[in-house]
Amino acid sequence: MELLVTMKSLKLLLILTTAAACSSATAEEILRSPDEKIEVSLRTDEGNVTYSVRLGGDAIIGPSSLGLKPNDLAPLEVAKVTRSSADNVWEPVWGSQKRYRDHYNEIQLKVEGDAAQTIIFRAYNDGIAFRYQIPESFKFSDQVYAHEASEISIISEKPTAWFPLSQVLVSDAVDLNTWESGNRKVNKNARYDFKPARIRTPFTVKLSEQACLSVHEAAVVHSDEAWLNLDGNTLTVLSNLKTAGGWVTPWRTIQIADKPGGLITSSLIVNLNAPCEFEDTSWIKPGVTLWDWRAHGAHADDGFEYGLNTESYIRFIDFAAEAEVEYLMLDAEWYGPERDPKSDPKTAIPEIDIEQVCAYAKSKGVGIWLYVNTKAFQNFDMDETFSVYRNWGVVGIKHGFLGGGSHAKNEFSHNVAKKCAEYHIMYVVHESEKPSGVERTWPNILSYEYVNSMLDSGTRPAATPSRVINNLFVFGLSGPVDRSCGMFDLDSYITREYCHRQIPSTVVSQTAQCLLFPSGLVTLPDFPDAYRRKADLFEFIAQLPMSYDETRVLDAEFGQHITLARQAGDEWFVGALADEAGRKTSVTLDFLEEGVTYDLTLYEDAPDAHYEYIGPMNKREAMTQKVTLEPQATRRELYQVKKITAKKGDMIPTVIAPGGGHCMWIRPQAATHLTR
């Protein structure tokens, strides 16, 4: 449950001003962020309402339109201007920070006339946001409010952008000055180098060495998701307000930072969402889960083959208890063909004694997550289903094939999440709607598959090392995302039933990604024996609490490298990635407590480790080339583990292999393991 704490003895300061305006008058209002580094100029001129933005005195967004209109040419008349400020601190149930500061200055522009509305504009230290509120006395009309004029006119000599090519694929770097339109159809599983008619968000742009921004939206609850259109260097919001519902639109957000790492530590998106709706949140516990889906067909060291059966799950549970991993997730088909409307999510297939599995897991202190397809939620009573799950002791649901994005599907997902909460069940959603910070309101939502899940689809291109880093600066800025990283058996997994393509990554990179990708739940794709074989490396993942007191980006550059540190209690976890070139650097431990000696475990790429796999990258490509994908030795699994001691200010050399990673587990000497 959230705690609202007043800072500087100030709950809410209201400074009211009234400014008469008409379509023929020009007026300007200046809105600054609390630290005054971001300055917004709001102007009304000849019936147009625009804004522009400066960062540190430099123009980064030129005059850009605002407002809801019947059409593009319709004038808006601003009749009143209201200013306010707020400075609060709230505590999330879980997240990347123990506390978030919700500190902003706000202007509200009251528009009168047929298209009556209030334009609400906020400036935070980490960005700006605006939304439109329609008076409750007005009946919503999709004709009166047919056109959303929202624009973002980027100012940059060479703007370089990264954005989603589909719901899961990230683009490579795009020079917006030379990017040309194309008429080809967009394939959701393929890369393209032409400008499409619609672009997903987050849309992340490097403006210069001193400025970057990311365009997204927050609090998408009673609305369709918005898209973007790019004309020159001006982005226009493409929205469908016919199904907006209620009287307020989602927030249009622009995260702003002087360095890439500032985008990752931004709290703008969650701050713009409503407070937690639950009084009791003690049952919401982020963590790590084992997962059966990619293990089908894997062979244990004793010859056992993993599949959809009780014995496989017993083995998973035994390892989870042994390694102190909190959860096991049973994926699709456990209750029959998932897309068959007659498959009952309360009845397991004959090969699985689901009640035995749940009871055994409970006896071992392991929580069970169950996959449920949307069809089962649509065709079977949810209360009956969740009542059965509660009796079994199920702790979480993975909701599959939502196909989110529309108003109806967004609300359906949120209703499932709220229904889960009635039964104290946590929730992740796949084929999902766009994350927009609603996990603040419903904190049992731990993750979304709004990112390239490593092994999905035999035709989808793999995420190269540089693309994995860019995933953090695009999909990772939207909220918690389920990448299902952590594959350890990189040389042999390709023969399994649901492993469709090779992974260009070292095993230490796989380990670091479990820390780096924001999520309340790490879903591990490998089987117990693979983790036992590398128990010294798996130790890092097993210790991750997935909820942190503080997060710092120590060093980062789009598409090249990132080093990030997260604190939990008196311990720190550090993860780093490098692109195809690898990296030699060092980490300065200036974030540690003075006068304390720390034990450090370093999880490193071996000197000759490398991300490359030579040959076809996926099964479809192998079939075309008439090649059989078979296990073969690579340098992806080469790693080493070291133990050292250090103090605040020490510099730790880090050598990252091409496409590799680096991890540190830091804890005070003589301290016990983190209690989770």
Side-chain angles (χ1 to χ4, degrees), residues 465 490-491 502-506 580 609-615 617 632-637 658-660:
L490 290 168
D491 287 347
Q502 294 289 350
I503 302 175
S505 166
T506 72
E580 291 82 346
H610 202 287
Y611 75 93
E612 283 184 337
Y613 169 83
I614 306 301
M617 289 303 295
Q632 61 177 272
T634 68
R635 292 185 284 163
R636 292 177 291 179
E637 293 186 29

Side-chain angles (χ1 to χ4, degrees), residues 31 40 42 51 53 66 104-109 119-123 128-131 251:
L31 178 69
V40 182
L42 290 144
Y51 74 98
V53 182
L66 292 170
Y104 62 84
N105 294 322
E106 178 179 287
I107 283 182
Q108 295 190 11
L109 307 177
I119 301 172
I120 305 172
F121 207 111
R122 289 183 183 177
I128 59 175
F130 53 88
R131 75 190 312 182
W251 290 97

Side-chain angles (χ1 to χ4, degrees), residues 379-393:
N379 294 305
F380 292 85
D381 183 83
M382 276 196 280
D383 282 295
E384 291 181 5
T385 299
F386 289 137
S387 180
V388 169
Y389 292 170
R390 181 171 58 187
N391 290 336
W392 289 349

